[in-house]
Amino acid sequence: MNEPTLSELVERSKKIRARYHELEIKHHESIWSVEEDALAFLTDAGLVGRLTMDQQERWPSRSTNETDLELKLGETMW
């Protein structure tokens, strides 16, 4: 399988962002501001740290699922 080009990744990201806008409108009646996007990113980055520490048994967690870190990493990278 061929690796996606940068332009293909940009287009994919735009489509994903459009879907997020749909959810934001559905749940909040408006799209998120730049500040809200930044805060959400920082929250996700913090969760990646906590989930990584939990995976290494350095942070207690009550309900960590094996896929939690993988999913949160993907979300944060996007």
Side-chain angles (χ1 to χ4, degrees), residues 3-4 12 20-22 27-28 34 41 43-44 54-55 67:
E3 294 291 319
R12 186 184 309 170
Y20 270 100
H21 283 319
E22 291 173 15
H27 295 287
H28 306 288
V34 172
F41 170 74
T43 301
D44 288 344
D54 179 55
Q55 186 183 60
T67 60

Side-chain angles (χ1 to χ4, degrees), residues 8-19 78:
E8 289 170 334
L9 292 172
V10 168
E11 286 306 310
R12 186 184 309 170
S13 291
K14 287 179 180 179
K15 289 178 182 176
I16 292 169
R17 189 64 192 119
R19 296 300 305 268
W78 175 87

Side-chain angles (χ1 to χ4, degrees), residues 26-60:
K26 178 180 176 183
H27 295 287
H28 306 288
E29 299 179 358
S30 65
I31 61 172
W32 282 9
S33 67
V34 172
E35 293 85 356
E36 289 169 316
D37 280 335
L39 183 57
F41 170 74
L42 292 172
T43 301
D44 288 344
L47 288 171
V48 166
R50 292 273 173 97
L51 290 167
T52 300
M53 289 178 72
D54 179 55
Q55 186 183 60
Q56 298 299 308
E57 298 180 359
R58 304 296 288 172
W59 187 268

